[in-house]
Amino acid sequence: MPIIVNLDVMLAKRKLKLKELSEKVGVSTVNLSILKQGKVKAIRFTTLDAICLALDCQPGDILEYVE
């Protein structure tokens, strides 16, 4: 898949654990873990917005397109 999810990189930069992000965003740890592994087929804009707000980043910091 040409879309790479860099959620783990952003979590490390912000020194946050997945559980802490889950509590801030209101998405289960399991769903965030699946996203982090890049195994999702879609993400809601509201979820992406909440993650970006919690991590103080842009969507491009989390999602990367590679040919």
Side-chain angles (χ1 to χ4, degrees):
M1 177 184 257
I3 303 290
I4 297 173
V5 180
N6 293 315
L7 184 57
D8 53 344
V9 174
M10 290 307 300
L11 286 169
K13 284 182 180 180
R14 301 298 188 253
K15 297 180 181 166
L16 275 178
K17 297 201 182 277
L18 197 62
K19 185 174 185 208
E20 294 170 316
L21 180 63
S22 171
E23 291 168 358
K24 287 184 177 191
V25 175
V27 175
S28 73
T29 306
V30 172
N31 286 338
L32 286 178
S33 179
I34 293 168
L35 174 63
K36 186 174 93 168
Q37 295 171 27
K39 294 183 178 181
V40 294
K41 300 212 183 264
I43 182 171
R44 293 177 186 250
F45 282 136
T46 53
T47 302
L48 185 58
D49 178 54
I51 291 170
C52 288
L53 184 63
L55 295 177
D56 188 28
C57 67
Q58 295 293 314
D61 296 329
I62 298 170
L63 302 174
E64 178 183 357
Y65 176 77
V66 178
E67 290 188 43

